[in-house]
Every structure is written in structure tokens, then in C-alpha cells.
Amino acid sequence: MMFLPSEKWSSRYSKQFYTIEIKSYQLLETPPPEPPSSLSSLPHEPAASSTPFGEDDHCAFGFCPPHKKKHPAIYYRIEIMRGTSRRFCLRRYSQFRYLCEKLDADGDKGLKKEFPPKVGPFHSDSEEFLEERMKKLHQFLKDLLARPESVGNALIEQFLELDVLTT
């Protein structure tokens, strides 16, 4: 599947193309519900050595036991559109950061420089700060997905739960 920026994407395109939007965030008192059954291969249990995740990383993309996460927590709502299908996934800032670190472990791709900081000039839970961070995470994700090496990347597909949109 190939990413297209939302301004160039249309639901008339084949399912070979998708786009994303991050337009909202929400404070959750508990972790989001488990992923759909088609995501059972994602690292929500301690990962086997054949996966790119170590045992400490087993909840990187959001499907952790409640004792592994601090709550309440802010989750960003990523809407994924492919053909006429629309769905969303919820991701925390730390999950975006984890994706960035895994894709650019040695820093040679410049992703870490583009990644928005955890804290800013505003209080980190103020509405103004959260809106600004959401915009920066959206831009980071769009820039990441536009890179040629992102096409078919398993980590990105897991992060966005793209296998749910295969039908």
C-alpha cells in the first residue's frame, strides 16, 4: 500500500492507496480496548524472538495490560482511509516516539530531528500544548509516510493497523 497526502487522496482510488488524518485527541482513564482479532499478531503479548520487538517492548503500539501504562493518558486519534473504508486507531505520544526510534535507531535518517518534543513552552497537559503537539505529530507522520522506504514497512503497517483495512 502507498500513502498519499489527504489533499491528493480520494476514496475513488484503489485500495492500493491510503491516507491518514489526526484531528483529535482524548484523555482516557483506562487503556483503549483490545485490537480486532486480525491484529492478534501484533506485539501485545511478550514478543517471540522472530518479531522486531523485545520482551520489554511488547506493548509499544498500545495493547498493554493496564499495569504497564500510566492512566489517565492522552491518546491521539489517527483516522486511516483506504478506498471507501475508514477506521481509526488510538496512539500515545510514547508510541509515536517508539516508532521513530525503531525506524531511525542510529539517527542517520533524520527522523529524530523532526520528531516533536515531549514537553514545550506550555504546560504539557494544557489544551494549547496538546493541540500543537497533535499538529506536529500529524506532520511528522505524514512526512514519514511520504518517504519511499516507508512503503510496505512492517512497523508502520502495525502502528497504523493497516491489515484491518485489507478487505
Side-chain angles (χ1 to χ4, degrees):
M1 282 184 279
M2 293 181 60
F3 169 77
L4 289 175
S6 57
E7 59 273 5
K8 295 183 179 183
W9 181 84
S10 169
S11 61
R12 296 175 302 184
Y13 291 161
S14 73
K15 292 188 178 219
Q16 177 181 349
F17 300 98
Y18 72 96
T19 194
I20 58 105
E21 289 288 332
I22 304 176
K23 294 182 180 176
S24 66
Y25 60 87
Q26 58 193 92
L27 179 68
L28 295 181
E29 297 294 328
T30 60
E34 287 291 316
S37 59
S38 65
L39 295 176
S40 60
S41 64
L42 287 184
H44 63 283
E45 296 179 27
S49 59
S50 62
T51 69
F53 305 99
E55 204 167 305
D56 292 336
D57 303 322
H58 72 277
C59 59
F61 292 140
F63 314 114
C64 304
H67 68 278
K68 288 286 188 181
K69 295 285 187 178
K70 293 181 182 176
H71 283 86
I74 298 293
Y75 284 82
Y76 297 91
R77 186 178 193 267
I78 305 171
E79 185 175 9
I80 303 109
M81 294 148 287
R82 182 174 170 220
T84 57
S85 300
R86 288 181 174 290
R87 68 173 315 278
F88 73 92
C89 61
L90 297 173
R91 296 290 179 253
R92 290 180 66 165
Y93 173 86
S94 60
Q95 296 166 310
F96 281 90
R97 188 180 66 231
Y98 178 86
L99 177 67
C100 177
E101 290 171 358
K102 287 295 182 182
L103 293 174
D104 194 10
D106 51 10
D108 64 345
K109 296 178 183 165
L111 293 177
K112 292 178 182 178
K113 290 179 183 176
E114 298 172 13
F115 195 74
K118 182 163 178 82
V119 294
F122 312 109
H123 192 271
S124 63
D125 63 353
S126 73
E127 194 169 320
E128 185 177 0
F129 173 78
L130 294 172
E131 286 287 332
E132 186 63 27
R133 181 195 276 173
M134 179 181 66
K135 290 175 187 174
K136 289 179 179 179
L137 288 171
H138 185 216
Q139 189 60 50
F140 169 80
L141 193 54
K142 285 184 359 182
D143 292 347
L144 171 65
L145 296 173
R147 292 172 174 240
E149 65 268 22
S150 294
V151 176
N153 182 289
L155 285 173
I156 293 171
E157 289 179 3
Q158 288 177 345
F159 182 79
L160 294 175
E161 302 174 5
L162 290 177
D163 61 336
V164 172
L165 293 173
T166 57
T167 58

